[in-house]
């Protein structure tokens, strides 16, 4: 059962259009040769804030219940940046809760986007509890990173653009963590491109949705350091939307090891001229590693480009894992 309908995704596209980049879909000669089918790259690492998450965050902000005083989230990553940017675009107050562990440069980056920053607690869990407290006490609306229909509909606008730009799309490779991206993209692709296959790609180290699908219910997995840091974390044991959507709409989930993610990052840079973070390189990695058999015109979504420059350099120099994690 899709979380969102095609009509809701189309409405989200209208709503967010003025404030998002309609990213390009570019053919890749080298990946097409390797895969034996035409392969295209969806350039969401060129989205404002450097990742696709702006689409969902903006759609959530623009559909807030009347009377909402602002939005709140606990995230140091792409969702926090996206929500702060979206709130500023919409002229809505935004609070981001960060733990005391978050480095000063990341705190400054969120502040620079105009958000109020609450530094609280010794880790992400405590920061999340602070976000929940502020939501209750100040009448702020919590905007979660994936498990929310408006967020899913916003991410689904990527699927809409893929179907518009590539008639008869056969396979879409989607980086998969909590499943907001894949739930939205699959809803659009399945509605507009009958026969289109949707393949989730996660890292081997801590793939929560893959473990949950195998178990038939949301399960927790140990969170491990990975080059694909934006794919880390669980799907929530009380998952309401994206687990069922993934179960209904995702054709296959494949896992890629760290060395192949590193190879994907290198290929993106050296052969495609694109700087992408590990999470965004998993689709390329799956093709390079022969872990998927794409059929028909194929798209790999490059979901984000926010990689630490020093790490990017180490990977280009041949590193196959995070330091100390080989
Ligand atoms: C959040 C994120 C993902 C995964 O999206 P989900 O909706 O959690 O599955 C993939 N790539 C990047 C760069 C992200 O920031």
């Amino acid at each position: 059962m899709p979380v969102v309908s095609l009509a809701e995704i189309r409405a989200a596209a209208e709503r967010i259009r003025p404030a998002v980049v309609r990213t390009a879909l570019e053919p890749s000669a080298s990946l097409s040769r390797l895969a034996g089918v035409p392969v295209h790259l969806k350039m969401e690492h060129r989205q404002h804030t450097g990742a696709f998450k702006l689409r969902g965050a903006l759609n959530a902000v623009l559909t807030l219940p009347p009377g909402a005083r602002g939005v709140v989230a606990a995230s140091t990553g792409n969702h926090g940046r996206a929500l702060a940017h979206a709130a500023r675009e919409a002229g809505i107050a935004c609070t981001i809760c960060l733990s005391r562990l978050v480095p000063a440069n990341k705190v400054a980056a969120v502040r620079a986007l105009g958000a109020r920053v609450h530094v609280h607690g010794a880790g992400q869990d405590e920061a999340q509890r602070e976000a929940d407290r502020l939501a209750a006490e100040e009448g702020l609306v919590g905007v979660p990173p994936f498990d929310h229909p408006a967020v899913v509909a916003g991410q689904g606008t990527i699927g809409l653009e893929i179907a518009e730009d590539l008639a008869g799309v056969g396979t879409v490779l989607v980086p998969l963590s909590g499943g907001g991206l894949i739930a939205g993209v699959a809803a659009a692709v399945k509605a507009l491109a009958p026969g289109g296959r949707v393949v989730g790609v996660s890292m081997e180290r801590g793939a929560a949705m893959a473990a949950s699908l195998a178990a038939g219910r949301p399960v927790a997995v140990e969170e491990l350091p990975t080059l694909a840091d934006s794919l880390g974390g669980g799907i929530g044991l009380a998952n309401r939307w994206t687990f069922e959507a993934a179960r209904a709409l995702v054709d296959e989930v494949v896992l890629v090891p760290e060395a192949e993610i590193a190879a994907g990052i290198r290929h993106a840079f050296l052969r495609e001229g694109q700087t992408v973070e590990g999470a965004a390189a998993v689709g390329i990695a799956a093709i390079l590693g022969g872990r998927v058999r794409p059929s028909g015109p194929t798209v790999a979504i490059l979901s984000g480009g926010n990689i630490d420059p020093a790490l990017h350099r180490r990977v280009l120099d041949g590193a196959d894992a995070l330091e100390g994690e080989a």
Side-chain angles (χ1 to χ4, degrees):
M1 188 211 315
V3 178
V4 295
S5 66
L6 184 60
E8 286 168 302
I9 297 172
R10 287 198 198 283
E14 284 306 316
R15 216 173 270 131
I16 70 177
R17 190 187 313 282
V20 299
V21 180
R22 191 190 189 291
T23 55
L25 188 69
E26 294 184 6
S28 161
S30 65
L31 290 172
S32 298
R33 246 188 333 270
L34 272 166
V37 293
V39 176
H40 294 73
L41 303 174
K42 179 65 169 164
M43 303 295 199
E44 277 299 301
H45 60 306
R46 297 195 200 141
Q47 188 55 259
H48 298 308
T49 69
F52 73 88
K53 284 215 172 56
L54 181 60
R55 296 173 183 257
L58 195 57
N59 192 47
V61 161
L62 294 175
T63 53
L64 283 175
R69 300 232 185 87
V71 290
V72 62
S75 161
T76 64
N78 288 332
H79 176 64
R81 286 177 70 160
L83 187 62
H85 182 97
R88 189 176 58 178
E89 286 289 315
I92 285 167
C94 176
T95 303
I96 303 290
C97 298
L98 304 173
S99 85
R100 284 190 297 274
L101 293 184
V102 175
N105 62 328
K106 283 200 169 178
V107 176
V110 174
R111 278 213 180 94
L113 287 167
R116 173 176 69 148
V117 173
H118 257 230
V119 177
H120 184 92
Q124 170 69 16
D125 287 353
E126 280 183 55
Q128 183 60 53
R129 275 198 292 278
E130 174 72 354
D132 295 342
R133 185 186 72 76
L134 288 173
E137 284 182 9
E138 298 188 6
L140 307 177
V141 178
V143 178
F146 55 85
D147 201 22
H148 188 293
V151 173
V152 171
Q155 323 304 29
T157 60
I158 294 169
L160 215 54
E161 292 174 16
I162 289 171
E164 283 168 10
D165 291 353
L166 188 64
V169 58
T171 307
V172 184
L173 304 176
V174 186
L176 171 59
S177 177
L181 177 60
I182 206 166
V185 167
V189 167
K190 297 278 170 180
L192 293 170
R197 284 170 49 77
V198 175
V199 179
V201 191
S202 300
M203 68 293 178
E204 277 182 354
R205 293 173 69 91
M209 183 63 88
S212 299
L213 290 170
R217 66 192 158 80
V219 295
V221 298
E222 191 191 353
E223 197 171 339
L224 298 165
T226 167
L227 288 170
D229 55 290
S230 291
L231 301 185
I235 70 165
L237 294 180
N239 186 291
R240 288 186 62 195
W241 307 100
T242 59
F243 173 70
E244 288 301 334
R247 189 140 78 157
L249 298 174
V250 173
D251 295 288
E252 187 185 357
V253 176
V254 300
L255 305 183
V256 290
E258 293 298 297
E260 292 181 15
I261 298 172
I265 293 171
R266 282 192 289 272
H267 180 98
F269 188 78
L270 300 171
R271 304 299 299 275
E272 318 289 345
Q274 307 301 324
T275 298
V276 299
E277 56 179 284
V282 295
I284 293 177
I287 293 173
L288 295 177
R291 294 184 186 270
V292 279
R293 296 267 159 277
S295 56
T298 293
V299 173
I301 299 176
L302 304 188
S303 50
N306 294 326
I307 184 168
D308 172 51
L311 174 61
H312 193 243
R313 245 176 342 262
R314 280 202 302 281
V315 171
L316 292 183
D317 284 346
D320 268 338
L322 290 177
E323 252 162 12
E325 299 290 335

